[in-house]
Amino acid sequence: MDKFRIKGGKALRGTVEISGAKNSALPAMAAALLTAEKVTLHNVPKVRDLITMAKLLAFMDAKVSVTEVPASDYLIEAPTLNHAEAPYELVKTMRASILTLGPLMARLGMARVSLPGGCAIGARPVDLHLKALEQMGVEISTSHGYIEARASKRRLKGAHIVFEKITVTGTENILMAAALAEGETVLENSAREPEVTDLVALLRKMGAKIEGEGTSTLRIRGVKKLHGTEHTVIPDRIETGTFLVAGAITGGDLTIKNCAPEHLGAVIAKMQQAGVPIETVNKTTLRVRGAQKLVGSDMTTEEYPGFATDMQAQYMALATQAEGTSVITETIFENRYLHASEMIRMGANISVDGRRAVVRGPAQLSGTTVQASDLRASAGLVLAGLVASGETFIDRVYHIDRGYEGIVEKLQGVGAHIERVHALAS
Ligand code: EPZ
């Protein structure tokens, strides 16, 4: 298993380019199952989760081809779908496989999808996805770890759905299911994330009738057929946020290109409150520099447009270097502080109590070997390693490869002493 070796203490300077958003490309690929025609996706990040999704679609008999140079374009064509199944072997490596359930139900009226188990950050049930599909006329049973879903009629029926809780992939799944349903679906308390809005943009290009993206109420008038199209995936706002923290925490000066500043309102505001100078250079470029004085600032994660939970670990790393106390409250996932104990091993002053973590700073971090537990925790540990004295080794970096394209090369490009160490097969 690869690991990263980081020698901390270097101020990062220069320009970094942001890749396409993993959490937008995943539902976009699943949406290609809704039509027999070709869907071309541009700006798809070269990360492992997208390769897993490509394997999953191919398992269902969709034709998936990828062009690598200059950026990765995915060409997906599903004239027929003979295997309406998402097998455990693939789903266990990527929960987002659940995003094929809605399109399969809409297109074929049946699906067998492995239940995604829990993950490091929480139980993460999919009950809200299933309840909503049941309202659309789907009979659902679960057995042997699989969701068996069958539509009572040829087409799903529109419904008035109120999500008990805001769910991103739940909203995306029902959006795709409703696009080919009979009649209108109203989705209340739906997610407003930019990735949901990007999916609506793609579905509209395919011929779907949708209103309300970016608000809590989506209206979808089902159509009989959807057609092929071309779509460019939005930039990754979490990768952007991660590099904002990298520039700030190392006291450097980074220009971040190909990003969407408007998708990071809450993150930028919070970092500026902590004393970090961040400038919007233009519509696709941000500039971040080290703070004169970094001060502790409380932060609560929320659904969009609030502070993203996927930026919590990175913010915690920054808070370890801030003067005073930062109280972090994680409202989305029940177990998302695994990175805290690893940062404490590096010398951070953090106390965790349930969903609250109190970070006192500044702390002089020192390099050691730490374990990555999930995608964003790994990013938080990389940031801590960039300011720690001496060398930090991060184990199990396969987590970070799931969602960050070329993070080692991008950091080296702005002066970081980081390298990937390929562990010899034992
Ligand atoms: C999406 O996950 C993202 N993944 C996650 O990013 C992100 O952390 C999360 O949204 C929140 O922003 C993708 O887009 C592929 P939710 P998702 O359903 O859709 C509970 C990353 O690092 N819930 O919005 O799975 C759930 O347990 C990943 O890139 C139910 O109870 O998250 C959680 O507490 C990690 N029942 C809350 O709702 C359900 O049926 C929000 O989860 C669905 C969700």
Side-chain angles (χ1 to χ4, degrees), residues 10-17 243 253-255 406-418:
K10 183 92 187 319
L12 303 188
R13 295 185 192 290
T15 300
V16 66
E17 307 234 349
F243 278 101
D253 184 343
L254 283 187
T255 298
I407 192 163
V408 170
E409 294 72 18
K410 288 186 182 183
L411 285 169
Q412 286 170 342
V414 288
H417 292 316
I418 180 170

Side-chain angles (χ1 to χ4, degrees), residues 74-378:
Y74 276 61
L75 285 71
I76 305 159
E77 210 167 345
T80 55
L81 291 170
N82 302 319
H83 290 123
E85 181 175 335
Y88 174 69
E89 287 320 309
L90 289 171
V91 175
K92 76 174 180 191
T93 63
M94 183 188 68
R95 307 175 44 75
S97 310
I98 192 77
L99 284 165
T100 59
L101 180 58
L104 287 173
M105 291 315 302
R107 175 99 183 263
L108 302 175
M110 62 174 190
R112 183 168 190 269
V113 172
S114 169
L115 265 170
C119 85
I121 65 177
R124 305 185 70 180
V126 292
D127 56 320
L128 302 177
H129 302 228
L130 305 184
K131 276 192 203 129
L133 284 171
E134 282 173 334
Q135 281 188 257
M136 301 179 76
V138 178
E139 282 143 27
I140 293 192
S141 60
T142 52
S143 70
H144 306 293
Y146 275 80
I147 299 162
E148 309 274 357
R150 200 164 276 283
S152 50
K153 287 220 189 83
R154 175 64 204 84
R155 284 178 74 191
L156 302 187
K157 64 180 169 56
H160 190 120
I161 294 163
V162 183
F163 277 127
E164 283 158 44
K165 230 179 179 177
I166 296 175
T167 160
V168 176
T169 50
T171 300
E172 293 165 343
N173 240 334
I174 303 307
L175 259 175
M176 294 187 276
L180 286 173
E182 197 130 22
E184 181 177 68
T185 297
V186 178
L187 213 36
E188 289 198 45
N189 201 26
S190 58
R192 295 186 276 164
E193 271 65 5
E195 295 76 24
V196 172
T197 300
D198 199 32
L199 176 63
V200 169
L202 167 62
L203 291 172
R204 258 206 209 111
K205 285 181 193 164
M206 295 170 72
K209 305 244 178 296
I210 305 173
E211 289 158 24
E213 70 275 20
T215 77
S216 302
T217 303
L218 290 163
R219 277 179 195 283
I220 308 107
R221 268 178 297 112
V223 297
K224 283 211 173 69
K225 202 165 171 292
L226 293 169
H227 51 74
T229 190
E230 242 179 284
H231 181 69
T232 300
V233 168
I234 56 172
D236 195 310
R237 64 192 165 103
I238 307 299
E239 185 191 16
T240 308
T242 303
F243 278 101
L244 282 175
V245 175
I249 204 171
T250 61
D253 184 343
L254 283 187
T255 298
I256 303 175
K257 288 199 156 179
N258 292 351
C259 67
E262 73 277 14
H263 293 163
L264 284 135
V267 171
I268 292 172
K270 181 53 64 182
M271 288 180 69
Q272 287 171 332
Q273 191 188 336
V276 179
I278 298 176
E279 194 194 324
T280 300
V281 178
N282 59 38
K283 277 181 75 182
T284 59
T285 310
L286 285 164
R287 182 177 176 198
V288 58
R289 277 165 287 161
Q292 295 284 325
K293 185 165 182 243
L294 200 53
V295 290
S297 298
D298 300 350
M299 182 277 281
T300 298
T301 64
E302 286 173 285
E303 295 88 357
Y304 192 84
F307 193 104
T309 173
D310 293 348
M311 276 299 299
Q312 181 253 95
Q314 299 92 320
Y315 184 77
M316 182 177 274
L318 186 69
T320 66
Q321 301 307 299
E323 195 83 34
T325 303
S326 307
V327 178
I328 296 176
T329 308
E330 173 56 59
T331 68
I332 309 293
F333 292 108
E334 66 272 24
N335 188 34
R336 200 166 206 179
Y337 286 130
L338 294 171
H339 41 277
S341 45
E342 297 303 298
M343 290 181 190
I344 292 168
R345 293 190 58 255
M346 298 174 78
N349 180 344
I350 305 170
S351 54
V352 174
D353 173 15
R355 300 253 184 156
R356 249 165 59 105
V358 179
V359 185
R360 292 184 180 79
Q364 173 52 59
L365 302 185
S366 53
T368 180
T369 299
V370 291
Q371 302 288 332
S373 53
D374 61 82
L375 170 59
R376 307 304 171 183
S378 335

Side-chain angles (χ1 to χ4, degrees), residues 29 48-61 64 90:
M29 287 181 70
R48 219 181 47 245
D49 273 10
L50 274 302
I51 296 164
T52 306
M53 184 58 94
K55 283 188 191 148
L56 184 54
L57 299 189
F59 179 85
M60 297 170 177
D61 280 340
V64 184
L90 289 171

